[in-house]
Amino acid sequence: MKHLNKLFVALVMLAVYSSQAQDSNNPWAISFGANAVDTRVSAASKLEDQFSQSFNTKDNWNILPSVSYVNVSKYVGSNFSFGVTGSINKITKYVLPRDGEGSYSVVNPGDKNYYAADAVINYSLMSLIKSKKIDPSIHIGGGYTWIGDDLHAGTLNGGLGLTYWFTDLVGLSYRATYKQSYEDIREDMPSHMQHFAGVVFKFGGKDTDGDGIYDKDDACPEVAGLKQFNGCPDTDADGITDANDSCPDLAGPAEFNGCPDTDGDGIADKDDACPEVVGLKSLGGCPDTDGDGVTDKSDKCPGVKGPKENAGCPWPDRDGDKVFDKDDKCPDVAGTVANNGCPDVTEEAVKKLNDYAKTILFDSGRASFKKQTFPVLQAITAILKEYPTAIFSLEGHTDSDGNDATNQKLSEVRAAAVKAYLIENGIASSRLTSAGFGESKPIDSNKTKAGKANNRRVEVKLVK
């Protein structure tokens, strides 16, 4: 008996150790405790008498003051479990009928040892009463019982049970089992009641990640998680499981898949180029104070609209003619948009040029200028500089004195001389052309001195 008690203690330690990592879904259970054998049912002649005074523990029950039974069972589904029970006892109270109906006596048959091995099919009614603590049940089964050295027989068993679960894994159980004997001589192997009371432990389940959720119910069995997420983790505690969270380490709302929006501009920080400043979605979450399409951080003039090509600053317009300097061919002289920012050459300016040109004096028969002509040439130069993109043609003419070839040559070199002077004084050569027409285009009569003087001339014409 001493060694048997040691075995039961070892089983208790195993059950407790196993249960520490398990939950209510554990398929295995072990229970142990004390049992009581009541032989009154065999002594009763009537069915109603078989169960009367069944709980007269003092007179009828045989109880061994020790751990005297162990049951191991496994849940097989649909509220059914299957198990085996081994029990021992000592029969010191044997109920016998006396002469006369309804009279019984209790005798000691000789302190006979009692052994039983039973198979049990148990059906739990816990789900029907919708309780998480109280677990009523019914059971049937069969087994074999030995009393003393000579009595033994098979039994058909059935009964009721009740377990109270202190936790999902540990409970206190009671089971009452009626054992119908199949021995031919009923007095030798009586039918009887056996009562079991003890503790029960569930074990045998698997919780790989140790999060208290059984693997079969754990959507993330290898990662510790939360019960409300079926065992999956939510590292940042934002209510979105890590598997569905685009930012599992930073709390954020569901609308941004769990990512934060620090500046509240409707753009998740992970997609926001300026996460701490309210900005526009079209600019990656960055602000554009002046609304020119250039973000403030890239805008060298964040308070003034300007094109992206100029880093968000407006193009300069030094002469104020509404043609930006970059497009203005005359950035320091106000002009017109049509003339690329340069002033249009007026008729008055062209007239003034030709009035000056008429007073250009050359040495006789030569292309050199007389001294008094230089102020005239300077005045012409000044007017041309006012129109820096305008192109002019310089045309030389002579009177009819001399032969045509000489006059043609002279008109060409004199026009070229004026062109050379202008170029030397800052007028771009690309803006000037020169040509000579000899005596072919007179503007006055060559028969008078005054007419010949008018025909000897240089004309300035606007090309464009």
Side-chain angles (χ1 to χ4, degrees):
M1 184 67 67
K2 181 178 180 181
H3 293 295
L4 185 59
N5 286 340
K6 289 182 178 179
L7 175 61
F8 282 132
V9 171
L11 290 172
V12 171
M13 294 179 65
L14 174 63
V16 172
Y17 176 78
S18 300
S19 68
Q20 288 175 350
Q22 308 304 319
D23 63 16
S24 60
N25 291 311
N26 290 276
W28 288 94
I30 182 171
S31 64
F32 47 85
N35 79 92
V37 176
D38 181 3
T39 60
R40 178 178 175 79
V41 295
S42 179
S45 59
K46 295 181 179 180
L47 179 63
E48 60 268 21
D49 291 339
Q50 290 184 355
F51 298 100
S52 65
Q53 299 185 9
S54 291
F55 288 91
N56 187 349
T57 61
K58 180 180 178 180
D59 296 334
N60 301 341
W61 285 18
N62 298 274
I63 302 175
L64 191 67
S66 171
V67 174
S68 57
Y69 88 90
V70 62
N71 171 270
V72 178
S73 63
K74 184 178 182 182
Y75 181 75
V76 294
S78 300
N79 298 323
F80 283 99
S81 60
F82 175 81
V84 293
T85 303
S87 60
I88 62 174
N89 210 315
K90 186 175 288 291
I91 304 301
T92 61
K93 299 174 183 178
Y94 196 88
V95 181
L96 295 173
R98 292 178 181 174
D99 293 337
E101 185 176 347
S103 181
Y104 303 94
S105 63
V106 179
V107 300
N108 185 341
D111 292 353
K112 292 186 177 182
N113 291 328
Y114 175 97
Y115 302 97
D118 302 291
V120 182
I121 298 174
N122 190 78
Y123 181 78
S124 172
L125 302 173
M126 189 176 186
S127 61
L128 298 180
I129 66 172
K130 298 181 179 179
S131 172
K132 293 184 178 180
K133 295 290 186 180
I134 300 174
D135 184 7
S137 62
I138 58 176
H139 60 272
I140 60 172
Y144 209 85
T145 301
W146 295 261
I147 298 179
D149 296 330
D150 301 325
L151 302 180
H152 53 86
T155 61
L156 178 65
N157 307 332
L160 304 174
L162 181 67
T163 301
Y164 181 83
W165 293 103
F166 297 107
T167 70
D168 288 341
L169 304 173
V170 181
L172 182 64
S173 68
Y174 168 76
R175 189 173 81 221
T177 303
Y178 173 73
K179 293 187 172 182
Q180 173 67 50
S181 170
Y182 282 88
E183 174 62 34
D184 292 338
I185 303 175
R186 293 284 299 279
E187 290 77 11
D188 291 340
M189 175 54 70
S191 296
H192 57 280
M193 290 288 295
Q194 189 172 14
H195 304 272
F196 303 88
V199 292
V200 57
F201 297 91
K202 290 182 180 181
F203 67 97
K206 186 177 181 183
D207 179 16
T208 302
D209 54 21
D211 60 3
I213 302 171
Y214 196 50
D215 281 5
K216 73 182 184 66
D217 299 320
D218 197 331
C220 302
E222 296 183 356
V223 183
L226 304 173
K227 188 173 183 180
Q228 61 265 37
F229 296 128
N230 295 323
C232 288
D234 176 18
T235 302
D236 55 18
D238 59 3
I240 303 170
T241 60
D242 289 359
N244 298 318
D245 197 329
S246 297
C247 302
D249 297 319
L250 298 172
E255 62 181 303
F256 299 128
N257 292 323
C259 290
D261 176 19
T262 302
D263 54 20
D265 59 4
I267 304 168
D269 287 358
K270 71 181 184 68
D271 301 319
D272 198 331
C274 303
E276 296 182 357
V277 184
V278 176
L280 304 174
K281 189 173 184 179
S282 58
L283 296 177
C286 290
D288 176 18
T289 302
D290 55 19
D292 59 4
V294 181
T295 61
D296 288 358
K297 68 177 184 178
S298 301
D299 198 330
K300 292 184 178 179
C301 303
V304 182
K305 288 186 178 182
K308 183 178 181 180
E309 294 76 12
N310 199 37
C313 291
W315 294 111
D317 179 16
R318 295 197 300 269
D319 55 18
D321 59 4
K322 298 184 179 180
V323 179
F324 297 135
D325 289 357
K326 71 181 185 70
D327 302 317
D328 198 332
K329 294 184 178 180
C330 305
D332 297 311
V333 179
T336 63
V337 175
N339 201 29
N340 298 316
C342 290
D344 292 326
V345 181
T346 63
E347 293 182 0
E348 182 182 353
V350 174
K351 181 178 183 303
K352 187 180 290 187
L353 285 171
N354 283 289
D355 287 343
Y356 281 123
K358 290 178 181 179
T359 63
I360 296 174
L361 299 177
F362 296 93
D363 292 327
S364 180
R366 302 174 63 185
S368 56
F369 303 112
K370 290 187 176 182
K371 185 177 181 180
Q372 62 268 37
T373 293
F374 288 105
V376 174
L377 293 172
Q378 291 173 3
I380 292 174
T381 302
I383 294 173
L384 294 183
K385 287 182 178 180
E386 292 179 10
Y387 306 97
T389 61
I391 299 174
F392 296 92
S393 173
L394 304 173
E395 299 180 354
H397 302 271
T398 65
D399 58 22
S400 59
D401 290 347
N403 61 56
D404 291 345
T406 301
N407 288 336
Q408 178 63 36
K409 182 65 175 176
L410 182 60
S411 66
E412 291 176 0
V413 296
R414 283 182 172 177
V418 174
K419 175 183 175 183
Y421 178 90
L422 295 174
I423 292 172
E424 290 174 1
N425 285 271
I427 306 302
S429 61
S430 59
R431 296 178 55 203
L432 301 172
T433 60
S434 65
F437 296 94
E439 58 183 76
S440 62
K441 294 184 178 182
I443 59 172
D444 205 345
S445 173
N446 282 310
K447 294 181 179 181
T448 64
K449 185 177 181 180
K452 289 180 180 181
N454 289 333
N455 288 333
R456 295 191 299 270
R457 69 194 187 279
V458 174
E459 294 181 353
V460 181
K461 292 188 175 181
L462 178 64
V463 177
K464 65 175 182 179

